[in-house]
Amino acid sequence: MIAELLTNTALPIILVGAMVGIASSAVGTFLVLRGNSMLSDAISHSIVFGIVIVWLLTKQQSGPVQLVGAALTGLLTVFLTEALANTRRVKQDAAIGLVFPALFSIGVLLLNVYAHDVHIDTHTVLLGEIGFVWLDTIDLFGLPIPQALVSMSIMTLLNYAFIGLFYKELKLATFDPALAKTFGFMPTILFYVMLMLTSSTAVAAFDAVGAVLFIAFAIVPASAAYLLTDRLWMMFIIGALISIAASISGYYLAVYLNVSIGGMMAVMTGVFLILAFLAGPRYGLITQYMKRRRAREAPVEPPPLR
């Protein structure tokens, strides 16, 4: 029965999309809370440079070496961004806008010069093709499991294992880095490890869904969750649920409209963000309007006579 479900093209595609969303929104939550959302965009593009460098050195297009190379490239992106911002000549957002296009451009040039005949291209990195994940399978427990599903499941476990082990430290380092440093929690190291996991998640996802969908899943569900709750642990749950809902609805809408599956999944994350922005139980525009309206219509009691 399980084998029959896995041979159904819809289920592997939806599962891969959901796992990418769950893994990405986990690390993206901390980027959103720290105000570093654009780092996900920077990392997802600059890893092209790391992927090409690793291929030139090892001739490997995937595997642990590529994950390490991508993680180091992500750290390089952040290091160069911080170095530029610390000069106080440019702001943080401008530094990001300078660093990642430079690394991405170098990576594209190296692809065109040295790897033009290899199955590594900018279209794959940016857009991927989630509709074909069910064709690339590995035998696991006698079942044909999509390779993308296995890699994303591993990254999901790694991300949540790290968050679970250092939950208190990450929470304090996110909301009060100075206090975390006073307690000896080393917030800078925790942040860089989180960025390494972000880079590894991006490179694990790029072959299946591409950088664009990774960015959408990393930032949009976490942003929507931020509008719906003030509790960190609840943000992870809401972000995961939005990712799952976006994967399911995005797939079937894409099939119905005959459009890109990955693109429609990204669109659906935006739809859920708009719903949270409009109808959130505490901060939604409609909710705020109804509260103000009830306050205006509430009878005003006259002051007591003295």
Side-chain angles (χ1 to χ4, degrees), residues 13-224:
I13 295 172
I14 293 173
L15 286 177
V16 170
M19 294 308 296
V20 171
I22 294 171
S24 303
S25 62
V27 293
T29 296
F30 291 101
L31 296 179
V32 170
L33 292 174
R34 290 176 61 98
N36 297 130
S37 299
M38 281 300 296
L39 282 178
S40 65
D41 189 15
I43 289 173
S44 63
H45 284 77
S46 61
I47 61 173
V48 176
F49 174 77
I51 290 171
V52 177
I53 294 297
V54 170
W55 180 83
L56 290 174
L57 294 175
T58 66
K59 303 302 179 183
Q60 294 187 25
Q61 301 178 36
S62 60
V65 178
Q66 282 287 7
L67 291 178
V68 174
L72 293 177
T73 307
L75 294 182
L76 176 63
T77 303
V78 177
F79 174 79
L80 294 176
T81 300
E82 295 290 338
L84 274 177
N86 289 337
T87 63
R88 302 190 182 279
R89 299 297 181 91
V90 294
K91 294 184 178 180
Q92 180 84 9
D93 55 348
I96 294 174
L98 290 170
V99 170
F100 91 79
L103 293 178
F104 180 68
S105 300
I106 295 172
V108 171
L109 289 175
L110 291 175
L111 275 176
N112 292 331
V113 174
Y114 297 107
H116 57 85
D117 57 346
V118 181
H119 183 58
I120 303 176
D121 56 72
T122 53
H123 180 273
T124 299
V125 174
L126 292 177
L127 301 178
E129 187 43 77
I130 193 171
F132 295 143
V133 294
W134 57 278
L135 294 173
D136 185 12
T137 62
I138 59 175
D139 288 331
L140 193 64
F141 305 112
L143 297 172
I145 308 295
Q147 186 171 343
L149 181 59
V150 175
S151 60
M152 291 313 307
S153 298
I154 293 173
M155 285 310 309
T156 301
L157 292 175
L158 288 176
N159 291 348
Y160 276 98
F162 176 73
I163 293 171
L165 287 174
F166 299 99
Y167 181 77
K168 294 181 180 179
E169 292 84 349
L170 287 168
K171 185 177 181 179
L172 186 58
T174 299
F175 294 106
D176 196 339
L179 183 60
K181 188 175 182 179
T182 302
F183 287 161
F185 288 163
M186 298 179 292
T188 302
I189 295 178
L190 288 174
F191 180 57
Y192 273 89
V193 174
M194 182 60 65
L195 291 176
M196 288 184 65
L197 290 174
T198 303
S199 301
S200 300
T201 305
V203 76
F206 86 88
D207 193 34
V209 302
V212 174
L213 186 56
F214 163 76
I215 297 168
F217 273 133
I219 301 305
V220 183
S223 300

